[in-house]
Amino acid sequence: MSPTTPRILAVANQKGGVGKTTAVVNLSASIAALGHRVLVIDLDPQGNASTGLGIDIRTLEHSVYDVLLHDTAIEDAVQSSSVANLFVVPANLDLAGAEIELVPAMGRETRLRRAVERVASDYAYVFIDCPPSLGLLTVNALTAAHEVLVPVQCEYYALEGLAQLLRNIELVNQNLNPTLQVSTILCQMYDSRTKLSAEVVADVRGHFGAKVLHTVIPRTVRIAEAPSFGKPVVVLDPSSVGAQAYRAAAKEVVDGRA
Ligand code: ADP
Ligand code: MG
């Protein structure tokens, strides 16, 4: 890859509440703090990645919806965030209609990829926050990305559903994006007081080996409350254990560059 080619990571898991958005917000902010230009593309109609980075999604002039469905130039939708070096293509509830509106659209699976190509050389990293489904928005993310980062929650059903995600990635490999691969698994919401968390992490490592980051993200109140301040925990409370874990995970992601 040339130095002007960014790493493009789709953060995906069709389960809701596993920590996709929290991972996007904190990994991107940690990597931006290392001096890299980072772009976050919010592909969830909830817009939580956008608001978590300080963007008011009630007053958007352009959102990712306009980029995908109205041929708005992506550079017109990019906003700076509450964090230096970190930029966002925000989403709002308009995007809820996109899964259906994309169905009859020309090039429906490749719209995000074509948009990202326009701005790729401006960034070192692009993170795409996927919605909790495997519909056309997630397909657009998987088609635009080079890698998939999968957050898994340290709970009993952690691995359930991942087979379906992997099957979808294979379909995208066959039809749209032959080099896409799961590069990274991040274990989320680790509770050191329970045996279950440790068992789940061991299980995930057994399945995915070296793709699983050494760093696990603990369950902490600070991580949970940071979004209400419109800031990642790594910015809001940099010395907290959650922030330390996210910085360590981000360093592993950066060092893992092939
Ligand atoms: P997803 O994007 O997969 O739906 P989120 O990142 O929105 O998941 O996380 C779901 C909820 O869990 C949010 O309320 C978030 O603040 C909270 N959360 C995420 N990670 C942690 C953590 N490590 N500790 C405590 N709460 C967390
Ligand atoms: Mg989310």
Side-chain angles (χ1 to χ4, degrees):
M1 271 186 222
S2 77
T4 54
T5 306
R7 276 178 71 180
I8 305 178
L9 298 99
V11 177
N13 184 331
Q14 73 274 25
K15 256 190 190 180
V18 298
K20 289 181 288 297
T21 299
T22 308
V24 164
V25 162
N26 284 288
L27 293 175
S28 63
S30 298
I31 293 173
L34 295 172
H36 302 289
R37 277 173 67 89
V38 184
L39 179 65
V40 167
I41 299 175
D42 192 348
L43 266 197
D44 188 331
Q46 300 295 322
N48 291 341
S50 309
T51 49
L53 290 168
I55 289 168
D56 183 353
I57 62 171
R58 291 165 307 182
T59 59
L60 297 179
E61 210 172 307
H62 301 292
S63 72
V64 74
Y65 170 80
D66 303 308
V67 173
L68 291 173
L69 282 142
H70 294 155
D71 292 323
T72 296
I74 189 170
E75 47 277 39
D76 292 337
V78 172
Q79 297 203 12
S80 38
S81 72
S82 61
V83 181
N85 284 330
L86 180 49
F87 301 83
V88 184
V89 178
N92 59 20
L93 273 177
D94 289 347
L95 194 60
E99 292 280 5
I100 287 170
E101 289 174 58
L102 276 169
V103 172
M106 283 277 273
R108 61 187 186 180
E109 294 99 351
T110 52
R111 290 191 162 218
L112 184 65
R113 173 160 74 195
R114 281 179 288 134
V116 173
E117 278 166 1
R118 292 170 63 99
V119 293
S121 62
D122 294 341
Y123 301 96
Y125 290 83
V126 178
F127 284 90
I128 307 171
D129 189 22
C130 292
S133 71
L134 292 171
L136 272 171
L137 288 171
T138 295
V139 169
N140 263 272
L142 297 178
T143 304
H146 306 135
E147 322 170 28
V148 188
L149 185 154
V150 183
V152 300
Q153 195 177 339
C154 295
E155 54 152 35
Y156 186 64
Y157 294 111
L159 289 170
E160 201 176 83
L162 285 193
Q164 203 187 344
L165 174 62
L166 297 179
R167 266 198 305 279
N168 276 53
I169 291 169
E170 233 167 73
L171 285 174
V172 171
N173 282 151
Q174 287 162 15
N175 296 294
L176 294 158
N177 187 0
T179 58
L180 179 74
Q181 51 166 328
V182 174
S183 64
T184 313
I185 311 276
L186 177 60
C187 297
Q188 289 272 27
M189 301 185 222
Y190 187 89
D191 185 346
S192 57
R193 294 165 307 177
T194 70
K195 229 170 85 185
L196 179 64
S197 270
E199 285 169 3
V200 169
V201 171
D203 211 15
V204 172
R205 289 196 199 285
H207 272 83
F208 293 99
K211 292 181 194 291
V212 186
L213 295 186
H214 295 292
T215 307
V216 298
I217 308 298
R219 180 185 287 281
T220 77
V221 173
R222 280 311 250 169
I223 291 175
E225 62 191 16
S228 64
F229 296 91
K231 285 181 181 168
V233 77
V234 294
V235 172
L236 183 71
D237 191 356
S239 61
S240 62
V241 289
Q244 290 176 35
Y246 264 114
R247 277 198 304 276
K251 192 163 178 307
E252 285 192 67
V253 170
V254 169
D255 290 346
R257 172 157 212 165

